[in-house]
Amino acid sequence: LSLLEETLLNNEQAVLVQSAAESAEHLLAILNDILDLSRLESGQLDIQPAPVNLPGLLKEVDMVMAAPAQAKALLLSLNVSDSVPTWVMADGRRVKQVLFNLLSNAIKFTEHGSVRLSATQLAAPQAGIEFSVVDTGIGMDASTLGQLFRRFSQGDASISRRYGGTGLGLEISRTLARMMGGDITVTSVPGQGSEFRAVLPLPPCAEPPARPHPSAPRAAPR
């Protein structure tokens, strides 16, 4: 589809290709969610901490999510507090997965305004780092909030029909957060937006030694 999109297409064909591509991406997202859920239930998905440059990771997340935000003319911003350590022990892949899910949801359910990702070190290092995703989207009432982290649930049928998705992303994200020793909470007001807060205990650590460049000269054998 990507290759076809780069060829000479008339307007009608371009719309059809875009529709097919969006359907393919939707199907891929569903498959990935189901695979992750299967791994979680079978105990095959584990957490593997290693030194991670946290500000660098957050910038990568911001760059990836910039395109879908721009497509909806939303302002996407990143705010990293000076208190956040540069290097932490974390499973970078899983931290990204949680943040991608939260930001994707925020962008999906926001038609106008902004989405902001913030990171703050809580009072003590052992208390963890709080990642906050705030949007100006449709918001949720108490009934929707009560069902939010349930499998295949997106609040009500009208939301599923309008926005699509499986309702698995938040359950997977919360499960991953708890596997990392943290949790995800949410506050929301209908029509005014939502705030998701993921608190993860990511202890500061030393910067790992630099890996030698592949082209660096090696010592001559004795």
Side-chain angles (χ1 to χ4, degrees):
L1 287 169
S2 297
L3 293 171
L4 182 60
E5 207 168 20
E6 294 173 1
T7 64
L8 292 175
L9 303 171
N10 62 36
N11 289 340
E12 182 182 7
Q13 291 169 331
V15 170
L16 292 174
V17 170
Q18 182 181 7
S19 177
E22 289 175 353
S23 297
E25 289 174 1
H26 176 63
L27 179 59
L28 181 61
I30 292 174
L31 290 172
N32 284 333
D33 282 347
I34 292 173
L35 286 171
D36 275 343
L37 194 63
S38 175
R39 292 189 190 103
L40 286 169
E41 290 183 337
S42 63
Q44 294 179 358
L45 196 156
D46 56 358
I47 303 299
Q48 300 178 356
V52 171
N53 184 308
L54 188 55
L57 179 148
L58 293 171
K59 288 179 182 176
E60 290 177 17
V61 170
D62 182 60
M63 288 177 62
V64 171
M65 300 309 301
Q70 289 173 1
K72 297 184 69 174
L74 299 175
L75 174 63
L76 177 65
S77 59
L78 171 63
N79 180 21
V80 182
S81 170
D82 292 338
S83 62
V84 171
T86 300
W87 289 91
V88 297
M89 287 297 293
D91 187 327
R93 179 183 174 192
R94 298 307 174 189
V95 173
K96 282 184 181 179
Q97 186 173 358
V98 169
L99 296 178
F100 281 144
N101 271 330
L102 296 182
L103 285 167
S104 295
N105 261 14
I107 292 170
K108 179 192 293 186
F109 294 110
T110 302
E111 298 300 330
H112 308 284
S114 62
V115 174
R116 184 180 75 248
L117 169 62
S118 302
T120 307
Q121 173 71 65
L122 297 179
Q126 61 269 26
I129 294 174
E130 181 182 83
F131 301 93
S132 169
V133 175
V134 180
D135 65 62
T136 58
I138 62 174
M140 294 170 281
D141 58 22
S143 174
T144 302
L145 287 172
Q147 303 179 58
L148 197 58
F149 292 97
R150 294 181 184 175
R151 186 171 304 181
F152 300 115
S153 173
Q154 290 182 302
D156 59 49
S158 64
I159 290 178
S160 297
R161 285 194 300 270
R162 181 177 177 187
Y163 295 98
T166 60
L168 290 174
L170 288 177
E171 181 194 358
I172 291 170
S173 296
R174 175 178 267 184
T175 301
L176 287 173
R178 289 177 173 176
M179 288 177 67
M180 289 185 274
D183 205 353
I184 296 177
T185 57
V186 57
T187 56
S188 187
V189 177
Q192 296 183 29
S194 305
E195 178 179 8
F196 284 82
R197 291 181 298 276
V199 176
L200 303 176
L202 308 179
C205 69
E207 179 179 355
R211 293 182 179 178
H213 194 276
S215 61
R218 296 183 179 179
R222 294 183 180 179

